[in-house]
């Protein structure tokens, strides 16, 4: 298989001497041009590297050479390589009733700024159907009324089977997902939480923020794992508030932060810039 | 008693019609000039007003008129007035081993920018004694070694008796104070906590922040009450971090935030701009 | 005329003793309830007050009493009162080719968050027509091709005659308006400039920012007067950048700042919170 | 010559394939351990790399091998290598009358947080002498009274001859330096300017900011070249202000930004993290 254009090589594993030298050497010998290279070694000795390059090469041969010609000191079996062409991701967006994050994604998508194709929107309410329709995207209303949590998630999973998205984006989807659901999409669900995590986990974070009298509110985009609001944090941002703002005012102001933070996080994820290391996100 | 120059009138109590009209009227009739007036009504109907004015007047007569000529609808017994000349506060600073907040306060004090006189510095270690000496301020080394918490606080209280400060400033004093101690200084102890509260309450917040993989760290200046790190928040600020920063790096970067936030909070407190309402600080 | 609900009283003029007392007294006697009151005296002695209140009253009688019962020391003829019911404003949006600010306004409008009704969108290109159509708003394509600047503006003015908007919003309208045009809408045109003014006035500010190697970029929402990019600033915000970002990258990142700043500024303007004082905007 | 411990290799020149591979290979063969590596290619094709590594090696032999074994495609004569042990820099600080930046540097220096040794402080006034004395650092009062600019600078240069500093830090030195002076220290003078450059070049930037009614003020640390306030920008930061703040208030608030920005910029410079490329600073 011969592949042209831009590519992204992701490597991670235990650090050892010569890893950068090794990878840049293989790419040099294949006459590939490195556009950008970034690496990181964690305090616990884990090595992460993201290399963006261009040129024409045989995908399997390149991966094979990368794996088999590692320096002797390297722990070959613990090192993983992923090689992706630089391209848009396929996603499905899940929402409840709030429009601001969805609206942001739709406008970006409509003008080709999302680095992803929105295959469909799924909601447990139908209030956002008119907005989604404006953009010609399928909208699936999957009500949770009269269903157990598992039945409801089963319905959503059936709908997702149509699209087979690479990522699920929870753009203010206000229901907790079960581990059974989350396990279908390991490190492939991105959520926006309307607080500066880990402050104000759970419901009504702006009410919590008001009650605590904080002077700054925030929003957090993170991967979803099986602990509520505790997955790896991708991006956060904040905004000053003061005592004059009610919980409702904070929610209104906070929406501007939420939608921008979600968009920024998705840009990082869709460009293969995020490694997950335990509960931390490494952004290269 | 006749008083010249600038004065600050603080009023709070249940809201009712005509309160601003009442106060501005009394000041107008006394020929006093309002320099700045700010008021706030909380969602629960509590009224707060801070009025900065200048002119010559009889202090007791003014307070008396303010209290006795309130509009009929006002709940007179629940309304409090405080009338202070605008002047520097007397403070004692408590520290442990870290110099950055103390250094900031000393430099500001040396150049008359603190809106307070530092009467003394008390520490449970003697490492900061040389710094304090440079500025000619008494330094009291009150070790906690071999003492119970109560005995140690008793020693500190004895030292404080010398100075009778209006405010205690905990500029990285790294020991928890008992309710017995705190009760001596109701709403008169200001602490700087090295996290964006309520995230990372307790010990080692930068380690906690690193482990959680946050993208923003912060600091919080707050009044101390009897729940650790839960008193009314006066000021907060934040700084972006990334995965490259270790917990130690975050602590280093965080110090710049801590010292500026503490200084900003003290400026508000020492200028009588902070009301306390339950667990919230109203800054007018 | 009898008017219910919420109202906003705006007052400005030379400062003198008793102005707050006067206004709050008139409102008190009319049994009107002040929800929020904010005032400011400039260093040059100009007084500004914005009072939000509710209740039922005779509009003309109230204004008359406010004007005729001012304290003796007040310069009655130099003081102006404006009394508006709190309501949505009517606006027309002008754009060129960029969608991000317009998209933001349309989504907010569609969900009733704009505090304004968008009567129409006017553009010198037709590229944004499909977006505007999704939201059922009239789109006027008024090309500047083959026209002098004056002829083009004349065409726009004719279109505006249909709508008689209270405000014009330049949501990335990339042509300079002549004084002849601007004079039709004194202090009623709001523009978003894609730099942190007064840095990088004029064309290609992100290119200028890149060339200068700045570490922070920004956006500025301001009223339009007859000096390019020099009208009163309503709101500004910024974003950190680094040397890795090209001028194009900065433009992409900057769009997120631009659209949020424009929305924030419009919220202030549409809620009658902005006074203009010379070249400065006073936001109460 | 054999050198242990941490070292920093700085490389810059025209980009070509294999440069990272080349350097990492030479270090690998010398059994040196890369701690951190960062590189950047400018849009105009200039390559910059900063490599922090540790190990024992022969300095001259390493530099020689780096230079002579470059890939064929590389433009050898245009590529420069600099190899520094990681160590504190020697600096002289120049001030006028303001204490805040100097105080910040002195406190950091006293607690070994500056990554530099302050050899001396030079001032054209003697007001800061008492502060400097507290820290046991030589203070040179070099008045400009009754001297031409050239005579004054000549006196300063004579004083500097005693210390031969690697960097001059202008910590609010309020006189313009002549090209004759600046040329003695190419890219070795760091200045803090009290505005968000390029806004408000020249004198009284806070007055200018007030007059323009900006909503954000800032500070800029930059290298000094022969165009006033136009050298490469190293670091910037900002702070929100509002119309209530006078030019004096802005100056007071701005000081907190100035001193932190200057410290951050110095940390970058003293750790050899800043390349200069034309009028831009590349921070790796």
């Amino acid at each position: 298989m011969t592949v042209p254009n831009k590519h992204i090589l992701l490597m991670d594993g235990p650090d050892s001497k010569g890893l950068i030298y090794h990878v840049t050497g293989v790419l040099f010998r294949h006459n590939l041009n490195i556009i950008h290279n970034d690496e990181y070694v964690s305090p616990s000795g884990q090595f992460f590297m993201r290399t963006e390059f261009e040129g024409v090469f045989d995908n399997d041969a390149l991966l094979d050479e990368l794996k088999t010609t590692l320096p002797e000191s390297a722990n070959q079996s613990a090192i993983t390589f992923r090689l992706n062409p630089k391209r848009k991701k396929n996603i499905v967006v899940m929402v409840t009733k709030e429009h601001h994050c969805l609206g942001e994604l739709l406008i970006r998508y409509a003008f080709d700024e999302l680095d992803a194709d929105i295959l469909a929107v799924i909601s447990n309410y139908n209030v956002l159907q008119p907005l989604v329709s404006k953009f010609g995207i399928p909208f699936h209303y999957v009500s949770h009324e009269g269903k157990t949590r598992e039945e409801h998630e089963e319905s959503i999973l059936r709908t997702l089977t149509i699209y087979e998205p690479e990522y699920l984006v929870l753009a203010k989807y206000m229901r907790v997902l079960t581990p059974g659901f989350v396990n279908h999409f390991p490190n492939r669900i991105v959520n926006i939480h309307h607080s500066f995590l880990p402050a104000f986990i759970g419901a009504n974070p702006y009410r919590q923020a008001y009650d605590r009298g904080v002077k700054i509110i925030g929003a957090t985009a993170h991967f979803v794992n099986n602990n509520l609001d505790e997955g790896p944090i991708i991006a956060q941002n904040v905004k000053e508030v003061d005592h004059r703002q009610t919980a409702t005012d904070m929610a209104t102001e906070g929406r501007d932060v939420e939608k921008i933070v979600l968009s920024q996080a998705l840009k990082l994820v869709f460009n293969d810039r995020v490694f997950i290391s335990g509960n931390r996100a490494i952004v290269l």
Side-chain angles (χ1 to χ4, degrees), chain A:
Chain A
M1 189 183 77
T2 302
V3 190
N5 298 326
K6 290 191 184 172
H7 293 265
I8 295 163
L9 176 67
L10 303 174
M11 171 183 183
D12 74 88
D15 191 27
S16 65
K17 263 182 208 168
L19 294 181
I20 305 174
Y21 172 55
H22 165 65
V23 172
T24 55
V26 172
L27 295 179
F28 183 64
R29 287 192 292 273
H30 282 254
N31 205 30
L32 299 167
N33 191 38
I34 294 176
I35 302 164
H36 188 68
N37 189 63
D38 204 2
E39 66 276 344
Y40 168 66
V41 180
S42 76
S44 61
Q46 195 75 358
F47 176 86
F48 302 88
M49 187 158 76
R50 178 187 184 276
T51 308
E52 202 170 321
F53 64 94
E54 57 191 351
V56 178
F57 61 95
D58 181 297
N59 200 73
D60 294 343
L62 188 72
L63 267 178
D64 190 63
E65 185 172 340
L66 283 166
K67 283 175 189 161
T68 57
T69 64
L70 281 162
E72 272 186 26
S73 60
N75 180 348
Q76 192 180 320
S77 65
I79 291 175
T80 63
F81 290 96
R82 283 168 290 161
L83 182 53
N84 301 326
K86 195 170 181 177
R87 62 154 180 76
K88 282 197 255 185
K89 302 296 190 278
N90 291 316
I91 68 171
V92 165
V93 180
M94 289 173 63
V95 295
T96 294
K97 288 176 173 176
E98 287 172 275
H99 65 276
H100 57 289
C101 288
L102 177 62
E104 180 79 12
L105 299 182
L106 290 170
I107 294 276
R108 286 181 193 259
Y109 173 59
F111 289 91
D112 201 15
E113 293 180 334
L114 190 60
D115 301 322
D117 286 322
I118 301 178
L119 306 179
V121 175
I122 297 175
S123 179
N124 57 327
Y125 285 89
N126 62 10
V127 293
L128 295 172
Q129 191 273 330
L131 175 63
V132 174
S133 301
K134 289 186 207 303
F135 293 85
I137 293 168
F139 180 90
H140 296 267
Y141 168 33
V142 183
S143 174
H144 60 277
E145 294 280 330
K147 289 181 188 151
T148 66
R149 189 170 295 274
E150 285 70 21
E151 287 168 351
H152 183 234
E153 291 186 350
E154 195 53 49
S155 299
I156 293 173
L157 284 171
R158 268 197 305 276
T159 308
L160 288 170
T161 310
I162 311 172
Y163 299 105
E164 299 194 334
E166 294 171 276
Y167 288 96
L168 278 190
V169 176
L170 309 185
K172 304 289 284 182
Y173 180 71
M174 305 307 280
R175 290 173 63 85
V176 176
L177 295 169
T178 67
F181 185 95
V182 171
N183 289 341
H184 281 85
F185 305 93
N187 297 331
R188 288 165 50 203
I189 308 179
V190 175
N191 183 47
I192 179 74
H193 182 76
H194 42 319
S195 89
F196 182 75
L197 287 175
F200 312 129
I201 285 175
N204 278 327
Y206 291 117
R207 163 55 57 185
Q208 292 183 57
Y210 175 83
D211 289 342
R212 184 63 190 87
V214 294
K215 301 303 185 190
I216 292 178
I217 56 171
T220 304
H222 63 97
F223 286 108
V224 175
N225 63 16
N226 286 322
N227 297 316
L228 179 62
D229 299 338
E230 300 204 349
I233 292 171
I234 307 163
Q236 301 189 289
N237 212 338
V238 294
K239 188 174 174 46
E240 293 186 20
V241 292
D242 66 29
H243 63 270
R244 294 194 187 277
Q245 289 169 275
T246 62
T248 305
D249 294 336
M250 288 183 187
T252 301
E253 296 272 332
R255 279 182 210 130
D256 290 347
V257 182
E258 293 167 27
K259 71 185 182 188
I260 300 298
V261 167
L262 177 60
S263 296
Q264 289 171 336
L266 293 179
K267 190 171 185 177
L268 298 173
V269 171
F270 297 161
N271 280 284
D272 296 310
R273 294 190 51 195
V274 185
F275 290 82
I276 293 176
S277 171
N279 205 38
R280 306 175 73 237
I282 313 296
V283 179
L284 295 186

